[in-house]
């Protein structure tokens, strides 16, 4: 049985999402205790397959990272039986979430309109590259999209990179997926809150490119207010200085000393009295106007010190931090104290390390309690909960799961499959 915990323990969501964006949305809800029932096709989520050294087929480390705390039910929605079971599950669900291309659920006979007839309070969350016709028709509504497309068309790449006119630069992590995922999680929660007040669910639509544009808001208002078309900003701020990345003897550091008090600290701790007295840098406005002069002058001094030495001089005295890679992060006391690197059971070897829960609560703390589920691991358990008998459940089990049951001993069957 599922262990109940967290602020969202009374919420049940049917999760049809795959890849990164949608599963990330439901992961952040699962981390706060929402019951996420991951509905997977017979082949499973495509990210289950191993891609990296040490991965195993049932649970890749990628899949582990974004599907923890969830339960897996294997249903073939292309079959009449699978669709009927899914409709029954919808009767007691707060929300359905999917990230298929436009029209897929409609063609399956499982559109929002069909499901809302079954459960009027059901929230239907949708995440696609360019949104859904229900909230605003886009000429690109049928286009597929991934992270790189969202970053490109949402305006992020245009302002990311080293030099104006240079090659557009993709942000390293898949923010074109994860940011829309966060917005979908917020939208679904908001709609559930409203449904509990009014008894009426609704369609929640998140476009990946819209989500990226929304966080590039500065480019929009700069264009409005100043007529600018902002370009790549490199590692420094377009109108605050010093505010960015500076060299160290063994790497780089980030610092923000644009305000006078912080600039005074920087100059004092790095023995930059000459800069402090220089009339060209005597105010925030002058530092911004002369940033192309100031940035290399500061860099000449920061590169004399290691990251540890700069941390000793500047850490805690001004906005400052060393540029850290994952080796630095996993050994850093902050991330250990904040439980931001957690271990989950991983088949066939050592536990998998994944990122922890960033939203901390004192009364109802979130947590990573369980590894990601095996394909169909909880099918029998969930189907029993809606009144299906053992023979009905056996007939509904995916062939791949049924094969597992026939070929292995009972103690080897993942919990929840035995009927």
């Amino acid at each position: 049985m599922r262990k109940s915990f967290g602020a969202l323990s009374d919420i049940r969501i049917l999760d049809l999402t795959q890849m990164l964006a949608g599963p990330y949305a439901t992961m952040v809800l699962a981390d706060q205790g929402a019951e996420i029932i991951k509905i997977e096709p017979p082949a499973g989520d495509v990210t289950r397959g191993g891609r990296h050294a040490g991965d195993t087929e049932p649970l890749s480390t990628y899949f582990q990272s974004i599907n923890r705390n969830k339960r897996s039910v294997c249903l073939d929605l292309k079959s009449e039986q699978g669709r009927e079971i899914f409709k029954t599950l919808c009767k007691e669900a707060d929300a359905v979430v999917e990230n298929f291309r436009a029209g897929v659920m409609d063609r399956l006979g499982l559109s929002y309109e069909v499901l809302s007839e079954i459960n009027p309070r059901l929230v239907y969350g949708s995440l696609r590259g360019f949104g859904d016709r229900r909230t605003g028709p886009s000429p690109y509504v049928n286009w597929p999209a991934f992270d790189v497309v969202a970053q490109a068309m949402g305006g992020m790449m245009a302002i990311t990179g080293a030099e104006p006119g240079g090659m557009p630069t993709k942000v390293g992590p898949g923010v074109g997926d994860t940011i829309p995922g966060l917005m979908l999680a917020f939208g679904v929660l908001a709609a559930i809150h409203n449904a509990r007040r009014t008894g009426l669910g609704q369609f929640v639509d998140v476009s990946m490119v819209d989500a990226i544009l929304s966080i590039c808001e500065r480019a929009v208002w700069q264009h409005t207010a100043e007529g600018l078309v902002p370009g790549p900003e490199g590692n420094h701020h377009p109108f605050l200085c010093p505010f960015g990345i500076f060299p160290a003897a063994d790497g780089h550091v980030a610092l923000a000393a644009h305000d006078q008090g912080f600039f005074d600290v920087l100059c004092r701790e790095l023995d930059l009295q000459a800069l402090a007295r220089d009339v060209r840098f005597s105010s925030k406005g002058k530092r911004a106007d002369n940033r192309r002069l100031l940035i290399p002058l500061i860099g000449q001094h920061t590169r004399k010190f290691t990251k540890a030495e700069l941390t000793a001089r500047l850490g805690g005295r001004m906005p400052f931090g060393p540029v850290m890679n994952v080796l630095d992060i996993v050994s850093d006391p902050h991330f250990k104290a904040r439980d931001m690197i957690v271990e989950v059971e991983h088949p066939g070897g050592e536990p998998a390390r994944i990122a922890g829960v960033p939203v901390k609560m004192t009364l109802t703390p979130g947590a990573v309690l369980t590894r990601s589920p095996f394909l169909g691991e909880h099918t029998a358990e969930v189907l029993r909960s809606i009144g299906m008998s053992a023979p009905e459940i056996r007939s509904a089990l995916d062939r791949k799961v049924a094969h597992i049951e026939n070929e292995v001993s009972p103690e080897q069957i993942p919990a929840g499959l035995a009927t």
Side-chain angles (χ1 to χ4, degrees):
M1 295 295 291
R2 173 181 178 269
K3 181 180 179 181
S4 180
F5 75 99
L8 305 181
S9 61
D10 60 339
I11 289 176
R12 171 181 277 199
I13 295 175
L14 304 181
D15 178 12
L16 294 166
T17 65
Q18 296 198 40
M19 295 299 289
L20 175 57
Y24 194 86
T26 52
M27 178 203 76
V28 299
L29 301 177
D31 286 351
Q32 300 300 333
E35 180 185 8
I36 305 297
I37 301 176
K38 187 175 179 69
I39 308 294
E40 298 188 70
D45 186 321
V46 296
T47 64
R48 281 187 174 275
R51 294 185 178 185
H52 306 287
D55 275 348
T56 55
E57 185 67 24
L59 297 179
S60 71
T61 46
Y62 181 6
F63 187 84
Q64 283 269 48
S65 180
I66 54 175
N67 287 286
R68 72 273 188 110
N69 291 332
K70 301 178 186 180
R71 298 200 285 171
S72 173
V73 169
C74 192
L75 290 179
D76 183 1
L77 297 183
K78 295 180 180 179
S79 73
E80 183 63 30
Q81 183 185 43
R83 291 192 293 271
E84 289 305 312
I85 293 173
F86 182 73
K87 289 177 181 179
T88 301
L89 289 171
C90 285
K91 293 179 181 179
E92 300 301 322
D94 292 287
V96 168
V97 179
E98 53 98 345
N99 63 338
F100 298 123
R101 289 176 66 172
V104 168
M105 289 290 280
D106 303 66
R107 291 191 292 274
L108 288 171
L110 299 173
S111 67
Y112 164 65
E113 289 74 20
V114 169
L115 299 182
S116 63
E117 286 289 327
I118 297 170
N119 179 359
R121 64 179 178 81
L122 185 72
V123 169
Y124 188 111
S126 158
L127 192 154
R128 318 193 201 291
F130 301 92
D132 189 277
R133 291 186 178 89
R134 292 173 178 87
T135 64
S138 165
Y140 315 128
V141 69
N142 292 315
W143 289 19
F146 283 110
D147 158 57
V148 67
V149 175
Q151 289 196 38
M153 295 186 69
M156 181 172 284
M157 286 189 191
I159 56 174
T160 304
E163 298 293 337
M167 175 69 76
T169 301
K170 183 183 82 68
V171 174
V175 293
D177 285 318
T178 55
I179 289 170
L182 290 171
M183 294 187 179
L184 179 64
F186 165 75
V188 167
L189 277 185
I192 290 173
H193 175 72
N194 186 70
R196 291 186 172 181
R197 288 189 298 137
T198 66
L200 295 175
Q202 59 188 300
F203 192 94
V204 177
D205 177 24
V206 174
S207 154
M208 294 167 68
V209 294
D210 293 356
I212 294 302
L213 173 61
S214 74
I215 65 159
C216 296
E217 45 77 35
R218 189 173 73 204
V220 178
W221 71 252
Q222 282 184 282
H223 180 63
T224 300
E226 304 171 9
L228 297 177
V229 179
E233 297 172 357
N235 287 321
H236 295 274
H237 199 281
F239 46 83
L240 298 176
C241 186
F243 192 112
I245 307 301
F246 291 84
D250 58 350
H252 295 83
V253 298
L255 60 87
H258 51 294
D259 285 340
Q260 191 60 49
F262 291 138
F263 187 69
D264 292 342
V265 169
L266 177 70
C267 293
R268 182 178 68 249
E269 297 299 328
L270 296 189
D271 303 319
L272 299 176
Q273 291 85 355
L275 291 186
R277 294 190 299 268
D278 195 318
V279 67
R280 297 172 297 177
F281 313 130
S282 60
S283 69
K284 179 189 288 189
K286 289 183 178 180
R287 288 191 288 275
D289 291 342
N290 295 296
R291 59 186 180 276
R292 288 180 176 82
L293 295 174
L294 181 57
I295 289 169
L297 290 174
I298 293 174
Q300 289 173 12
H301 288 268
T302 58
R303 70 172 66 252
K304 298 175 182 177
F305 304 94
T306 65
K307 291 192 292 184
E309 290 169 339
L310 288 169
T311 299
R313 288 172 176 254
L314 302 176
R317 297 176 176 85
M318 56 169 287
F320 166 89
V323 175
M324 302 173 76
N325 61 31
V326 71
L327 288 177
D328 301 318
I329 288 169
V330 297
S331 61
D332 188 86
H334 166 85
F335 299 105
K336 182 176 181 180
R338 302 283 295 175
D339 293 323
M340 284 307 301
I341 303 295
V342 298
E343 292 187 344
V344 291
E345 174 193 357
H346 197 59
E350 295 294 319
R353 286 194 298 190
I354 59 177
V357 180
V359 179
K360 312 293 187 185
M361 299 190 190
T362 56
L363 185 61
T364 55
V368 178
L369 293 185
T370 61
R371 58 159 170 78
S372 297
F374 293 111
L375 177 60
E377 181 173 349
H378 305 94
T379 301
E381 177 186 330
V382 171
L383 298 192
R384 275 197 299 268
S385 74
I386 60 173
M388 292 181 64
S389 66
E392 289 173 326
I393 292 171
R394 285 194 176 276
S395 72
L397 285 173
D398 167 59
R399 291 180 182 177
K400 181 177 179 181
V401 175
H403 174 75
I404 291 174
E405 287 194 292
N406 291 331
E407 295 297 326
V408 301
S409 61
E411 62 270 17
Q412 292 175 297
I413 300 173
L417 282 183
T419 57

